[in-house]
Amino acid sequence: MTTPTSSDGSSSSGRPPLDHDPWAPPSSSPAGVVPRLPYPVPPAQPRNGMGITALVLGLVGIGLGLFIILFWISWLPALLALVFGSIGLSHARKGLATNKAMAVSGLVMGIVGLLIAAGSGVVTVLTVKHAVDDARAKVREIKKGNEKAAAEEAARHLSFGESYTFGDGLKVTVAKPTPFTPDAIAYGHAKGNKAVQVTITVVNTGKQRVSIKTGLPDVNDADGASAELVIDGSGRQKVLTGYLLPGRTAVGKYAFSLPPAAAGRAEVEFSPDAIRWDDAYWSGSTR
């Protein structure tokens, strides 16, 4: 007589089938139910954003800092790189990020960027200060030059009888003009004008001989008009010319014709070398 078996292989008598493994663990699943395995939990994504941001900002900060004119904005990305790099490094130490090297690089670049920004700021300040100091020095030099030129200009305006020493050592004195009577035949003297004689004394106060290259003066009347040079045959006029030895003196005499209305005052312009030295001026009354 056979014992009927169920569909799952067990005997209806409650006895295990002949092929049953007595050592297998009992099944906890109901008959005909396949057990479900749990789904795998995905690992947490690494938080690498801080390290990447720190690296990018560090590069930007250093790049801007290398341009002197942009140093004033380079400190901001460098400072942010320092902050984000510190946060990224903290995440890496806690195992929340996998780009520790990138965070450290961003942190270091942030520090370097700040140093470059500070150095660029110092260089800019020193450059501007140097430029301002140079500009002020030039202004002072120009002012001194103007003052010196004004003083020299004032020194070249003298009264009759005073002396002026030029740069080559020639000391020049122009005496007060004296009346002059031209010969009957004279060039440059109109009838009714007042003729005056201008006497110029030159002394070489230097240690070398000096050439007198422009020994002819210019005379202006009281109205500022140029007076005519009088030339006659009297032989009383003498033109300064040639070399003058050290310690020697030369005297030049010239006659000029002044109109009656402007004959009361005159100005004499003279330079022993008009190419090298500006004229000196002697003025005063002719009466």
Side-chain angles (χ1 to χ4, degrees), residues 43 83 149 217 249 266:
V83 174
T249 301

Side-chain angles (χ1 to χ4, degrees), residues 156-279:
R156 293 199 309 272
H157 287 75
L158 307 103
S159 300
F160 289 132
E162 294 181 339
S163 300
Y164 179 81
T165 302
F166 290 86
D168 53 7
L170 293 182
K171 181 180 179 181
V172 178
T173 305
V174 177
K176 179 181 178 180
T178 57
F180 179 82
T181 303
D183 285 351
I185 300 177
Y187 174 80
H189 180 64
K191 185 178 180 180
N193 281 6
K194 178 181 179 181
V196 295
Q197 179 174 279
V198 176
T199 302
I200 299 177
T201 303
V202 181
V203 180
N204 186 355
T205 61
K207 297 181 180 180
Q208 297 179 349
R209 70 173 188 172
V210 181
S211 174
I212 301 176
K213 297 180 179 180
T214 53
L216 188 65
D218 290 328
V219 176
N220 301 319
D221 59 27
D223 293 334
S226 296
E228 290 287 341
L229 177 67
V230 178
I231 299 176
D232 63 5
S234 65
R236 290 173 291 175
Q237 300 187 52
K238 182 180 180 182
V239 177
L240 292 168
T241 185
Y243 288 94
L244 188 62
L245 297 175
R248 302 298 296 270
T249 301
V251 178
K253 296 182 178 182
Y254 312 87
F256 289 87
S257 179
L258 305 176
R265 187 176 180 85
E267 181 184 65
V268 178
E269 301 179 27
F270 179 78
S271 173
D273 189 345
I275 298 178
R276 296 181 60 191
W277 317 112
D278 293 331
D279 287 340

Side-chain angles (χ1 to χ4, degrees), residues 36-44:
R36 294 183 178 181
L37 297 177
Y39 289 103
V41 179

